[in-house]
Amino acid sequence: MELTREQVDFERLNRSLNDETSLKDYKAPYDAYCPGLVPRLLSAFLISSGNLVYGREPSYLKFRAIEVIARVPYQSWSSVIYTLQTFCYTNEKRALALSRAAQFSSAAEENETMHVIVVSHLARDERAGVIRHTVIPLLFAFMYFWFSYLLYLVRPRSSFELNYLFEDHAFEQYSRFLELSRDTLEKKPVQSAFLDWYGRSPANQFEFFRSVRNDELIHRNSSIQQISS
Ligand SMILES: [Fe+2]
Ligand SMILES: [Fe+2]
């Protein structure tokens, strides 16, 4: 895949977050951000339902469900923004702001698609019935799509805040996984044609999951940056 200038910058930022000090410095300014009540209630519903079905601790199966669900806000924003642009052909300032948000969504969509495809590949040996494997992730993805879409229509800030909270949860889960399973993950390879096409070549699963953790933190912070852009 040919990388755009934005993707090259994104990959550079991702790699810089492998350094623990850089990670802390990048994370800290948004740690204290306080989202509104509606995003907090919706994220509590999504996260506690996930914990109930897949357990509190990270696992390949849980990551697969998280990734199926986590990619839909970006698709939802692209869709709602495309609709909203219909009403601002004569408002160049508004059209520009919407196009910038769409650019962020589009890059994040590609990134999250890579996550779900590679994680599904790694999770292929985890046993689960059709309900936990397929039905619940798709049902929650459907709900999350419409939460994100409707919130963006009514109050874009709330839609970004909901994403901030879900991405924060994903970041915490990947961080915990890296902490608990570092030795095992460093011995496991990652062979994925999709990841090769995407342009990442981690030496092992530790490096892969660390890059995904970094992606989620960038998505988390970028969601709040979108509010003021
Ligand atoms: Fe992700
Ligand atoms: Fe993400």
Side-chain angles (χ1 to χ4, degrees), residues 9 27 34 39 53 63 84 87 208 225:
D9 291 343
K27 182 174 177 291
C34 187
V53 176
F63 286 140
L84 287 172
F87 305 104
F208 169 70
Q225 288 160 359

Side-chain angles (χ1 to χ4, degrees), residues 83-100:
T83 303
L84 287 172
Q85 281 170 328
T86 309
F87 305 104
C88 61
Y89 292 150
T90 55
N91 184 343
E92 198 172 14
K93 193 174 165 212
R94 175 84 174 125
L96 189 59
L98 286 170
S99 291
R100 286 198 176 114

Side-chain angles (χ1 to χ4, degrees), residues 159-171:
S159 198
F160 288 125
E161 288 178 350
L162 175 58
N163 195 55
Y164 164 88
L165 291 163
F166 200 79
E167 291 285 12
D168 188 60
H169 171 63
F171 170 79

Side-chain angles (χ1 to χ4, degrees), residues 8-9 16 19 41 43 48 53 82 95 135 137 144 156 177 188 214 219 226:
V8 170
D9 291 343
S16 76
D19 174 70
L41 288 174
S43 74
S48 55
V53 176
Y82 198 78
V135 175
Y144 196 13
F177 192 50
K188 289 185 177 175
N214 297 348
H219 293 157
Q226 286 296 316

Side-chain angles (χ1 to χ4, degrees), residues 54-70:
Y54 300 100
R56 286 192 166 272
E57 292 294 355
S59 66
Y60 288 95
L61 195 61
K62 188 175 187 187
F63 286 140
R64 186 183 170 279
I66 284 177
E67 294 300 344
V68 169
I69 297 163

Side-chain angles (χ1 to χ4, degrees), residues 9-10 12-32 104 164 168 171 213-226:
D9 291 343
F10 185 93
R12 191 179 299 123
L13 174 58
N14 182 299
R15 285 192 299 274
S16 76
L17 299 177
N18 293 341
D19 174 70
E20 288 301 318
T21 308
S22 302
L23 184 86
K24 278 184 190 142
D25 291 347
Y26 179 75
K27 182 174 177 291
Y30 296 94
D31 278 349
F104 162 60
Y164 164 88
D168 188 60
F171 170 79
R213 175 202 68 180
N214 297 348
D215 289 335
E216 310 305 18
L217 184 62
I218 298 170
H219 293 157
R220 184 197 81 149
N221 285 10
S222 301
S223 298
I224 302 309
Q225 288 160 359
Q226 286 296 316

Side-chain angles (χ1 to χ4, degrees), residues 10-11 14 18 111 114-115 178 195 200 202 205-216 218:
F10 185 93
E11 291 300 311
N14 182 299
N18 293 341
N111 181 261
M114 179 271 284
H115 291 179
L178 294 171
L195 193 57
R200 283 197 191 163
Q205 288 196 19
F206 176 81
E207 287 189 9
F208 169 70
F209 281 108
R210 184 177 59 183
S211 76
V212 176
R213 175 202 68 180
N214 297 348
D215 289 335
E216 310 305 18
I218 298 170

